[in-house]
Amino acid sequence: MSEKNHTNIATFIHLSTFSRFLIPFGNFLGPLVLWIINKDKSQFIDEHGKQALNFQISILIYSLVIGLITIPFFAFSILNGFDFMDFNLFDGIHLNISKPSPLFYIGGSLGFLAVIGFILEIVFIIKASLRARDGEVYNYPLSIKFLK
């Protein structure tokens, strides 16, 4: 295989993580299939496949942790704060939301953190794809090395 072909495959390994928007678990299946088929063809492809999969597994773990922390904050704020919501929809539209619980703000902040993490994930994937296209190895930040 030529050097250009290796860089193209490595680039597609990173870009295949976007298949999650079309296929459930596509962010794992796309890179995994491309990596398994091509990992013996070059060390460059092998390294990029491991990097992409390690990053996706790390993002999954980070998302689960943030979700497990966020969900109780929202649940407790909703269950504890029924007194601050006053909906009177049958006699006319009346909506009274006075003072939400501080837990609601903490949960919202963690949700905002998850959105920032999603945006950073997209930026890192694009950056890794561009580096692979240029023939360079990219190490994702905050990635845990599961595959070595």
Side-chain angles (χ1 to χ4, degrees):
M1 286 177 111
S2 69
E3 177 81 18
K4 185 69 175 164
N5 198 7
H6 291 180
T7 58
N8 287 341
I9 292 171
T11 302
F12 285 126
I13 286 174
H14 293 289
L15 291 176
S16 68
T17 60
F18 290 128
S19 66
R20 71 173 167 195
F21 298 116
L22 301 173
I23 302 168
F25 299 107
N27 57 328
F28 297 107
L29 295 176
L32 184 65
V33 168
L34 287 172
W35 177 61
I36 287 174
I37 291 172
N38 297 299
K39 69 179 180 178
D40 296 330
K41 295 178 182 174
S42 82
Q43 180 65 28
F44 184 75
I45 294 172
D46 186 40
E47 183 64 29
H48 279 277
K50 289 176 186 177
Q51 289 290 332
L53 288 169
N54 283 335
F55 184 64
Q56 291 304 312
I57 295 168
S58 300
I59 290 296
L60 175 66
I61 291 171
Y62 298 146
S63 298
L64 289 174
V65 168
I66 288 175
L68 290 175
I69 292 171
T70 304
I71 290 171
F73 281 119
F74 276 117
F76 289 137
S77 68
I78 289 173
L79 295 176
N80 190 24
F82 273 124
D83 59 328
F84 74 84
M85 289 187 218
D86 181 20
F87 298 108
N88 192 2
L89 298 175
F90 295 110
D91 295 329
I93 298 175
H94 174 74
L95 179 64
N96 182 13
I97 299 176
S98 58
K99 187 177 180 185
S101 168
L103 296 175
F104 186 75
Y105 294 119
I106 295 170
S109 299
L110 289 171
F112 180 73
L113 180 66
V115 170
I116 295 297
F118 175 72
I119 292 169
L120 287 175
E121 176 189 5
I122 290 174
V123 168
F124 293 150
I125 291 170
I126 291 171
K127 193 172 181 180
S129 301
L130 293 174
R131 290 271 179 92
R133 180 198 66 187
D134 295 338
E136 302 172 13
V137 176
Y138 180 74
N139 293 317
Y140 285 98
L142 305 172
S143 181
I144 303 168
K145 303 278 186 207
F146 294 103
L147 303 172
K148 296 183 181 195

